[in-house]
Amino acid sequence: RMRLSPSGADRRKILGVSRDVTRDVALTDDLVRKQQEAEEASVAKGQFVARMSHEIRTPMSGVIGMLEVLLRAEVDQDKRAHAATALKSARDLMSVLDDIIDVSQLESRHLSLDNAPCSLSDVVEDVVSLFGALARDKSLELTTEVGASTPAWIMCDARRVRQVLTNLVGNAVKFTDAGRIKVSVSYDTDQQVARFTVRDTGAGISEDIIDKVFDQFFQADSSTTRRHGGSGLGLTISRQLVGMMGGVIQVDSKPGGGSAFHFTI
């Protein structure tokens, strides 16, 4: 600031403050370095898991193939039952490996979408047909509904839409012991958004865990894994895939009142 001296001359003062930030800068650099190392380690771990899963898939495919050949041969009932059990276990393990590969690719951002003209009604029918026999074995009514506004074709990754629907319909059949399951799709022409719903009459999900169902490896309780199997990754993968396709996935449920999973693309 400026003041006038008694003689009338200007007198100027400069006030300066200095602070040694060497330690702060060093700490910041150290944190950045550790973060980079952690990210690189995470990527390396994901790549290793994905690579090992791919390697395991090859011999597992051989095991599944040989068991299928054995079941087509003329063998006695006991051996056929043993082979059928082994085949189911092998297929379950292959499904877990597929989930691990998908999670690794999603986390390392190596999974991409392949958009092409796609019939949503065909996708829905394809998925439902996969579970038709299992639903009949449980005396479940499995139906579909395609909204009138749904176009014949849209641009999307049919494989990934089918993967999400397969997870949801598979869970619905798995956790519904009686009643019905309905798979529906509609289309909002103004927003250009497709909406899918998988509704079941199963046991439902309690309020204290409904916010956790999309978490990795989450199971309602230990008996769920023993009774139904699975990796606990299906809904996590579905949420990430739906997010990649520009949509959201949600669930409405209450104990004893069934569940309804909705997702948009």
Side-chain angles (χ1 to χ4, degrees), residues 4-262:
L4 292 177
S5 65
S7 61
D10 290 346
R11 184 174 62 187
R12 300 172 184 269
K13 290 184 177 181
I14 299 176
L15 177 65
V17 178
S18 64
R19 182 167 65 91
D20 186 356
V21 296
T22 303
R23 186 171 182 273
D24 294 341
V25 172
L27 286 173
T28 300
D29 291 343
D30 187 53
L31 288 174
V32 171
R33 179 179 58 79
K34 288 182 178 180
Q35 181 180 3
Q36 291 174 342
E37 290 175 352
E39 291 174 351
E40 291 172 359
S42 178
V43 171
K45 180 187 69 175
Q47 291 174 345
F48 172 79
V49 171
R51 188 177 298 113
M52 289 300 98
S53 299
H54 275 293
E55 292 298 326
I56 297 172
R57 277 180 59 89
T58 301
M60 281 304 304
S61 297
V63 171
I64 290 174
M66 290 300 98
L67 288 170
E68 289 175 342
V69 170
L70 179 60
L71 284 172
R72 288 195 294 268
E74 294 183 3
V75 294
D76 61 57
Q77 187 172 356
D78 288 341
K79 291 179 180 179
R80 180 174 296 277
H82 295 331
T85 300
L87 179 59
K88 180 182 182 304
S89 298
R91 285 173 173 167
D92 288 345
L93 178 56
M94 187 72 85
S95 177
V96 172
L97 291 173
D98 289 338
D99 287 345
I100 293 173
I101 292 171
D102 283 341
V103 168
S104 300
Q105 289 179 333
L106 286 165
E107 289 182 345
S108 61
R109 296 179 176 84
H110 286 165
L111 191 149
S112 59
L113 298 177
D114 183 16
N115 291 324
C118 162
S119 168
L120 296 183
S121 60
D122 286 349
V123 170
V124 170
E125 292 297 335
D126 288 346
V127 172
V128 169
S129 66
L130 293 175
F131 297 96
L134 184 57
R136 287 191 296 272
D137 290 343
K138 299 182 69 174
S139 300
L140 299 175
E141 180 185 357
L142 180 56
T143 61
T144 64
E145 180 181 7
V146 179
S149 61
T150 305
W153 302 92
I154 71 166
M155 292 295 292
C156 70
D157 189 330
R159 178 189 173 198
R160 297 305 175 184
V161 175
R162 189 179 293 108
Q163 183 176 355
V164 175
L165 271 178
T166 299
N167 278 326
L168 298 183
V169 177
N171 282 346
V173 174
K174 184 187 298 184
F175 296 109
T176 302
D177 294 327
R180 59 191 179 277
I181 299 166
K182 183 176 181 180
V183 185
S184 59
V185 57
S186 59
Y187 192 80
D188 186 327
T189 54
D190 293 332
Q191 300 293 326
Q192 293 189 333
V193 170
R195 179 180 178 86
F196 298 83
T197 298
V198 178
R199 190 180 303 275
D200 65 58
T201 58
I205 306 170
S206 61
E207 293 182 0
D208 59 328
I209 65 171
I210 195 168
D211 293 333
K212 303 176 183 178
V213 295
F214 295 105
D215 294 347
Q216 283 190 11
F217 305 113
F218 176 77
Q219 299 280 9
D221 54 56
S222 59
S223 64
T224 301
T225 304
R226 290 195 301 268
R227 181 182 176 191
H228 299 291
S231 63
L233 292 172
L235 291 179
T236 302
I237 294 170
S238 297
R239 180 185 61 183
Q240 292 175 297
L241 289 176
V242 169
M244 287 180 62
M245 292 185 284
V248 294
I249 185 168
Q250 299 171 312
V251 57
D252 298 321
S253 183
K254 59 181 180 179
S259 302
F261 283 84
H262 316 274

